[in-house]
């Protein structure tokens, strides 16, 4: 038995207003006059948060276009732009949702690794530590702030750069930054966390480590999305910690059916991670009976729409593409259904599931 020995985020600060400490946190990381690069979710352009970013001298704010989820091409272009403009940088600070945080991680790695980020999609392919990187979430749920991956769509595959060099050196968890997130987006990203918990807790890879974090994150999600009648600051506080704990839970287990199927949707149709997981979860009663019942209650209570009929009219080839992407996620299926998963999730069964979505 080989136990996973995983690298974690080095520094964590948590609390309302902790963003105000960013200047002193970054100061010791500055290397001569090499700038800090703040990669900020484009939603914040022109918003008051921008004036609170502690830029010094050559520091630069770059707005990340996260209309679509991050691509290897986008990562390569950003790294190239920074190298030609500055030579080297002191660090990359990602401020935004999971997409911006993933971009920041990937660009930091590509400042020191040769070639294209597409060459590093996989497990432990990254050769050199990147430059210093910090993550500051403005949406809670993905767990991207704690994970050892950065999910990218490349020319051939949608897969992360999974490596010990990938986790952030620093994260700043300030729930104030999530305050004005739109209700639907907040729900979809929050459900990503809820689904991480169900998939981890119901998976065959489960151990006490994952369970301890998964149960706590699950309880926080239920407090927020089922018990509370109105969203208040305490919900933002809790969801930020649920995201962290949910991420820690899957670090030592794996996600499951919802993610495996949703990856196929996002590859073919560009469906976003959070909403894609919700679309799939709606139809997974057979695999996660209790988890899906509670999920449906959360959807009702929060008055959110989950799209249906998104696979209507797709061709056989398109279904094949989605199934190939999905069935390629072997560890996810094995975690969900056990070693004999291929006997349970046959191509016919998966096709029938996609047709329902
Ligand atoms: P997102 O980062 O894609 O952002 C969704 C939308 O919300 C964007 O339009 C963005 O501009 C906006 N937004 C962000 N913060 C906001 C705020 N405070 N107020 C208003 N709008 C705001 O959404 P997400 O769900 O956080 O992230 C999804 C991404 O995370 C996907 O690309 C997925 O692949 C990735 N992901 C990564 C990991 C990992 O371990 N690395 C895990 C899960 C998901
Ligand atoms: Zn997820």
């Amino acid at each position: 038995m080989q136990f996973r020995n995983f690298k974690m985020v080095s520094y964590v600060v948590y609390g309302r207003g902790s963003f105000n400490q960013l200047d002193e946190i970054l100061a010791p990381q500055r290397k001569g006059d090499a700038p800090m690069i703040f990669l900020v979710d484009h939603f914040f352009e022109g918003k008051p948060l921008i004036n609170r970013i502690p830029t010094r001298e050559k520091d630069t704010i770059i707005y990340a276009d996260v209309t679509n989820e991050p691509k290897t091409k986008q990562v390569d272009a950003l790294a190239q732009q920074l190298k030609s403009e500055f030579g080297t940088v002191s660090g990359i600070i990602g401020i935004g949702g999971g997409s911006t945080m993933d971009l920041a991680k990937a660009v930091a790695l590509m400042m020191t690794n040769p070639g294209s980020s597409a060459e590093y999609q996989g497990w432990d392919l990254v050769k050199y530590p990147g430059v210093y990187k910090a993550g500051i979430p403005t949406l809670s749920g993905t767990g991207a702030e704690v994970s050892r991956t950065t999910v990218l769509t490349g020319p051939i595959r949608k897969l992360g750069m999974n490596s010990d060099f990938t986790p952030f050196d620093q994260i700043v968890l300030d729930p104030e930054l999530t305050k004005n997130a739109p209700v639907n987006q907040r729900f979809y990203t929050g459900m990503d966390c809820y689904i991480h918990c169900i998939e981890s807790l119901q998976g065959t890879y489960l151990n006490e480590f994952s369970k301890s974090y998964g149960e706590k994150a699950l309880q926080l999600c239920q407090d927020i999305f089922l018990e509370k009648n109105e969203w208040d600051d305490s919900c933002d506080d809790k969801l930020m910690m649920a995201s962290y704990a949910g991420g820690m839970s899957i670090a030592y287990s794996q996600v499951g059916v919802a993610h495996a199927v949703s990856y196929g949707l996002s590859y073919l149709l560009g469906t976003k991670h959070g909403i894609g997981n919700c679309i799939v979860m709606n139809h997974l009663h057979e695999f996660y009976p209790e988890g899906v019942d509670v999920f449906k209650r959360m959807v009702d209570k929060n008055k959110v729409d989950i799209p249906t009929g998104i696979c209507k009219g797709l061709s056989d080839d398109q279904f094949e593409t989605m199934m190939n992407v999905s069935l390629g996620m072997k560890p996810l299926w094995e975690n969900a259904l056990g070693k004999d998963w291929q006997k349970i999730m046959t191509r016919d069964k998966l096709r029938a599931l996609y047709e329902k979505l």
Side-chain angles (χ1 to χ4, degrees):
M1 174 93 186
Q2 183 67 30
F3 295 96
R4 191 173 298 165
N5 182 15
F6 67 87
K7 171 77 172 62
M8 287 171 50
V9 168
S10 312
Y11 285 90
V12 182
V13 57
Y14 172 85
R16 298 193 150 261
S18 56
F19 185 80
N20 295 333
Q21 276 167 239
L22 191 55
D23 188 46
E24 73 187 77
I25 287 171
L26 297 182
Q29 308 299 337
R30 292 179 178 276
K31 295 183 176 57
D33 67 351
M36 282 291 175
I37 306 301
F38 297 89
L39 191 57
V40 184
D41 190 311
H42 62 174
F43 168 80
F44 291 101
E45 195 166 2
K47 303 273 184 343
L49 182 66
I50 300 307
N51 302 323
R52 296 174 57 203
I53 295 176
T55 46
R56 295 189 188 182
E57 291 153 25
K58 279 163 47 190
D59 287 1
T60 301
I61 295 174
I62 296 178
Y63 292 104
D65 181 349
V66 293
T67 315
N68 299 304
E69 296 189 341
K71 296 197 168 54
T72 53
K73 262 201 315 209
Q74 192 181 6
V75 169
D76 295 348
L78 277 165
Q80 202 47 55
Q81 176 193 339
L82 294 176
K83 281 190 232 172
S84 42
E85 200 165 332
F86 302 108
T88 183
V89 303
S90 287
I92 313 277
I93 318 302
I95 306 176
S99 296
T100 307
M101 287 192 284
D102 273 3
L103 268 179
K105 288 197 227 184
V107 172
L109 292 172
M110 292 316 294
M111 292 304 291
T112 55
N113 284 279
S116 161
S117 50
E119 295 164 41
Y120 304 106
Q121 288 180 280
W123 280 269
D124 302 305
L125 302 173
V126 180
K127 294 194 185 86
Y128 306 106
V131 298
Y132 174 85
K133 53 185 162 342
I136 309 182
T138 65
L139 276 177
S140 296
T142 64
E145 65 278 20
V146 288
S147 77
R148 81 189 284 280
T149 190
T150 161
V151 184
L152 301 176
T153 305
I156 306 174
R157 49 184 75 89
K158 177 168 182 184
L159 190 61
M161 294 163 77
N162 289 266
S163 84
D164 281 349
F165 300 126
T166 310
F168 283 118
D169 297 295
Q170 169 83 55
I171 55 176
V172 177
L173 304 179
D174 182 345
E176 253 173 31
L177 304 183
T178 63
K179 191 177 174 70
N180 295 317
V183 177
N184 276 3
Q185 184 62 56
R186 185 171 69 196
F187 184 83
Y188 298 141
T189 304
M191 283 303 105
D192 189 21
C193 174
Y194 173 77
I195 294 169
H196 291 159
C197 296
I198 300 299
E199 292 178 322
S200 173
L201 292 169
Q202 301 299 316
T204 62
Y205 290 1
L206 188 65
N207 59 23
E208 272 315 316
F209 185 102
S210 295
K211 196 170 161 203
S212 310
Y213 283 107
E215 285 179 347
K216 183 65 200 178
L218 182 64
Q219 181 213 322
L220 290 167
C221 288
Q222 293 185 339
D223 283 358
I224 305 161
F225 292 111
L226 272 188
E227 309 302 331
K228 270 279 186 189
N229 289 322
E230 206 139 326
W231 195 273
D232 59 22
D233 286 353
S234 76
C235 300
D236 285 318
D237 295 354
K238 286 182 178 178
L239 191 51
M240 195 158 265
M241 283 320 298
S243 176
Y244 178 93
M248 289 298 290
S249 180
I250 47 177
Y252 224 127
S253 59
Q254 197 29 290
V255 287
V257 182
H259 277 74
V261 176
S262 139
Y263 266 104
L265 294 179
S266 83
Y267 186 83
L268 184 77
L269 306 172
T271 315
K272 301 232 171 110
H273 188 86
I275 197 167
N277 286 341
C278 288
I279 291 170
V280 181
M281 192 66 175
N282 230 353
H283 297 276
L284 295 186
H285 197 265
E286 178 184 346
F287 304 101
Y288 305 117
E290 210 184 313
V292 172
D293 284 344
V294 171
F295 169 77
K296 290 189 172 176
R297 279 167 50 209
M298 290 174 169
V299 172
D300 288 344
K301 168 130 190 167
N302 293 273
K303 302 188 179 64
V304 175
D305 290 325
I306 308 293
T308 53
I310 64 163
C311 291
K312 268 212 186 91
L314 294 182
S315 68
D316 284 344
D317 279 355
Q318 288 177 310
F319 278 111
E320 286 299 311
T321 302
M322 288 196 294
M323 293 198 292
N324 291 340
V325 170
S326 178
L327 293 171
M329 315 294 292
K330 295 191 172 67
L332 284 64
W333 290 109
E334 187 180 279
N335 174 48
L337 306 174
K339 290 240 177 299
D340 285 337
W341 63 270
Q342 276 157 318
K343 291 192 187 131
I344 304 170
M345 186 44 78
T346 58
R347 291 186 82 87
D348 287 349
K349 195 167 170 88
L350 184 56
R351 167 84 189 235
L353 175 56
Y354 273 120
E355 281 179 13
K356 277 197 262 175
L357 301 179

